[in-house]
Amino acid sequence: MFECAPAKKHTEKITFDVPVNACDSHCHIFGPAERFPFDANRSYTPPDAGFDDLNTKQANLGLGRAVLVQPNCHGYDMAAITDAIGRSRGQYRGVGPLPAHVSRVPLQQLDQAGIRGGRFNFCSHLAGATTDDVMSMAGKIADLGWHICIHADEISLLRLLPDLKNLPVPFVIDHMGRIDTNKGL
């Protein structure tokens, strides 16, 4: 299992004005593991970087809103991000992985807790999702007004794009598709 480097505990305060309602559209929180344990089958172990750490960084960046994206190391247990959303006084929302077999009631509970999208990993180091999983989930979440978040790399993204165009919900390609910018346009 990969052990991550220690988290950067300090973010310099910015020196320019941030637009009103600016939002960090993709950030993670990790743990704290003592309260929100990491998944036993995770591929990496990050250092703790929880709600309080995120709030400090957000304040230093002049941001008050954020979309918390559930990291793979927490698996399907979204307790850490739903707790953070609940403590954010309405300023955070979340996106997380959803098991293929999830039923209506848990989806409604996640919606009430501030989750607004389902995330699917197609990157080679996190692979596990299938196109069928995405299409099935899109049907389950459409009436909730959610979106699909695709975590793909360059190779898997090209394979997925034709199917994504047929989704009944909006989709986001996170981490900018992990495209190698050294290759140019």
Side-chain angles (χ1 to χ4, degrees):
M1 181 181 322
F2 178 72
E3 298 289 328
C4 299
K8 183 178 178 183
K9 289 292 183 183
H10 179 70
T11 300
E12 298 294 325
K13 287 191 176 195
I14 58 165
T15 58
F16 57 88
D17 291 331
V18 175
V20 174
N21 290 324
C23 178
D24 185 335
S25 63
H26 183 121
C27 57
H28 302 290
I29 59 172
F30 301 102
E34 183 178 286
R35 182 167 176 211
F36 303 109
F38 298 124
D39 187 81
N41 298 316
R42 67 192 178 278
S43 59
Y44 64 97
T45 301
D48 286 342
F51 176 79
D52 294 330
D53 297 311
L54 177 62
N55 272 347
T56 299
K57 288 179 189 273
Q58 294 282 75
N60 287 346
L61 294 171
L63 300 171
R65 300 179 337 138
V67 177
L68 304 179
V69 179
Q70 172 85 345
N72 188 53
C73 63
H74 276 293
Y76 293 118
D77 182 356
M78 288 195 258
I81 67 170
T82 56
D83 175 75
I85 292 166
R87 294 171 61 191
S88 74
R89 296 181 304 273
Q91 297 306 110
Y92 296 169
R93 293 291 183 262
V95 174
L98 301 169
H101 64 275
V102 69
S103 64
R104 185 75 186 157
V105 170
L107 289 173
Q108 290 172 327
Q109 291 168 339
L110 288 170
D111 186 71
Q112 290 172 355
I115 301 299
R116 295 297 184 264
R119 187 177 197 221
F120 294 87
N121 287 310
F122 288 91
C123 293
S124 57
H125 68 289
L126 300 171
T130 68
T131 305
D132 288 342
D133 293 338
V134 173
M135 299 305 263
S136 173
M137 191 58 63
K140 291 180 181 182
I141 66 172
D143 69 324
L144 292 171
W146 289 15
H147 69 281
I148 294 287
C149 178
I150 299 293
H151 186 198
D153 52 24
E154 193 171 359
I155 294 167
S156 60
L157 183 57
L158 291 174
R159 182 177 46 80
L160 288 167
L161 282 175
D163 290 319
L164 295 177
K165 292 177 184 177
N166 296 317
L167 287 174
V169 297
F171 66 91
V172 171
I173 298 170
D174 73 6
H175 291 280
M176 297 178 284
R178 295 189 176 265
I179 293 174
D180 184 354
T181 58
N182 291 323
K183 293 180 181 178
L185 293 177

